[in-house]
Amino acid sequence: MRVENSFIGTDGVGEKTEQSIWEQGVTHWDEFEPSVVGGQRGDRIQQFIDEGRDRIAETDVTYFDHAFPSSERWRLYETFRERACFFDIETTGLDQDRNQVTTVSLHQGGDTQTLIAGDDLTAENLRAAFDGADLLVTFNGKRFDVPFLEANFDVDLDRPHLDLMYTCKKIGLSGGLKQVEQDIGIERDRPDISGRDAVRLWREHEQGRDGALETLVSYNREDTVNLKTLAETATERLDERIFVG
DNA sequence: GCGTGCTTAACAGCAGAACC
DNA sequence: GGTTCTGCTGTTAAGCACGC
């Protein structure tokens, strides 16, 4: 579903009204006539559509991020997937004040890059990497990855953010990223490695063990790239579930 | 103009959950 | 093992459409 199929961004329009509009055969902005709902509501929807068309032309993801209820943020994905930045971090622990970020992988426009602590992981490089990322896509990133990065580096990641943990919950998938990947059939090169191993691998790298860093980076990149498959699958399933199109 | 029914918005409180 | 955002539920208020 694209944002042009949505009417829920209008003030005074909720789930039931939108469903009713779809059931009348109006499933796209192009098909909308104010008469399908009547009165001021119709005028407001028309205003939302007119404004929305301009905002899409400007790639203004933030406008729709604010307009849609947070539970419907997943609808941004199909329209703005080209501007999506999937990312995942590895750290030395859970405490953002005591532990450090070891690697950050970003997958955007088909390319994946990894920044590594002690090498190229700097605030400046992070800002450059996130420049142009209009829609962040993570798994539990709202509570972990973003706060961790903002606490450890002078970066501002306050922008539209699709946290797939909640999107997956809506379609009955829970249990952590690895579990969810398994549930939808995503295969891994190294299924035996976990987040705890990421801490161990970093320590081994610091102690000079050959191959430890390569394994850690590979794990981090796989986590990141898999987010794209997860986003595609989750949004498709939600689309099938709610959209009368 | 009035009453009714439907719908949304706003708010509070609570529990669940996953990150490394 | 610390953190905290989100969804869920229930409640209340208000706006709107519609029929009379």
Side-chain angles (χ1 to χ4, degrees):
Chain A
M1 186 194 303
R2 299 178 62 84
V3 297
E4 301 98 307
N5 302 117
S6 300
F7 302 96
I8 205 166
T10 312
D11 286 340
V13 175
E15 190 182 325
K16 302 206 178 201
T17 301
E18 183 180 63
Q19 199 76 24
S20 157
I21 294 169
W22 287 340
E23 283 167 358
Q24 292 177 70
V26 179
T27 57
H28 192 281
W29 290 355
D30 291 344
E31 299 157 349
F32 183 75
E33 296 284 344
S35 57
V36 299
V37 287
Q40 295 180 28
R41 198 174 282 169
D43 294 338
R44 280 204 300 267
I45 294 173
Q46 190 61 59
Q47 282 174 18
F48 168 69
I49 292 170
D50 294 342
E51 177 77 17
R53 287 199 173 103
D54 292 340
R55 301 292 185 151
I56 288 175
E58 296 163 9
T59 323
D60 186 354
V61 191
T62 303
Y63 172 74
F64 296 102
D65 184 52
H66 290 152
F68 288 0
S70 59
S71 59
E72 302 300 328
R73 194 169 286 142
W74 62 274
R75 300 188 192 195
L76 302 177
Y77 181 70
E78 189 173 332
T79 304
F80 298 110
R81 55 162 47 115
E82 300 305 321
R83 308 292 295 175
C85 175
F86 306 87
F87 84 95
D88 183 59
I89 70 172
E90 305 303 332
T91 72
T92 55
L94 296 172
D95 190 331
Q96 62 190 38
D97 296 322
R98 289 203 303 264
N99 300 119
Q100 71 167 121
V101 180
T102 56
T103 61
V104 180
S105 286
L106 304 95
H107 182 69
Q108 194 172 13
D111 294 324
T112 308
Q113 67 168 317
T114 303
L115 303 175
I116 300 169
D119 182 13
D120 54 0
L121 179 54
T122 63
E124 187 181 357
N125 285 345
L126 279 172
R127 281 193 289 271
F130 282 107
D131 186 39
D134 294 316
L135 176 64
L136 303 180
V137 184
T138 64
F139 194 92
N140 198 33
K142 280 181 182 286
R143 278 180 295 181
F144 187 77
D145 302 63
V146 166
F148 224 112
L149 281 181
E150 289 184 333
N152 280 261
F153 301 92
D154 182 24
V155 291
D156 176 17
L157 297 177
D158 183 19
R159 64 191 75 184
H161 184 163
L162 175 61
D163 190 328
L164 293 173
M165 187 175 81
Y166 303 106
T167 311
C168 288
K169 277 216 181 82
K170 287 172 78 75
I171 54 172
L173 296 173
S174 61
L177 178 60
K178 310 298 176 293
Q179 179 65 53
V180 170
E181 284 179 4
Q182 200 174 341
D183 289 344
I184 65 169
I186 296 176
E187 293 187 356
R188 284 183 164 259
D189 291 338
R190 293 291 304 273
D192 52 316
I193 299 180
S194 71
R196 287 178 191 272
D197 293 315
V199 180
R200 176 181 55 78
L201 286 165
W202 181 256
R203 297 292 177 221
E204 290 177 1
H205 161 65
E206 287 183 317
Q207 291 161 13
R209 183 174 84 75
D210 284 346
L213 180 62
E214 286 73 16
T215 305
L216 173 62
V217 168
S218 165
Y219 168 73
N220 185 207
R221 289 170 77 91
E222 195 169 27
D223 265 1
T224 307
V225 174
N226 285 353
L227 290 175
K228 184 168 193 297
T229 309
L230 190 56
E232 304 278 342
T233 304
T235 54
E236 273 172 28
R237 288 193 187 178
L238 271 169
D239 197 321
E240 289 165 9
R241 188 171 291 199
I242 75 152
F243 185 42
V244 186

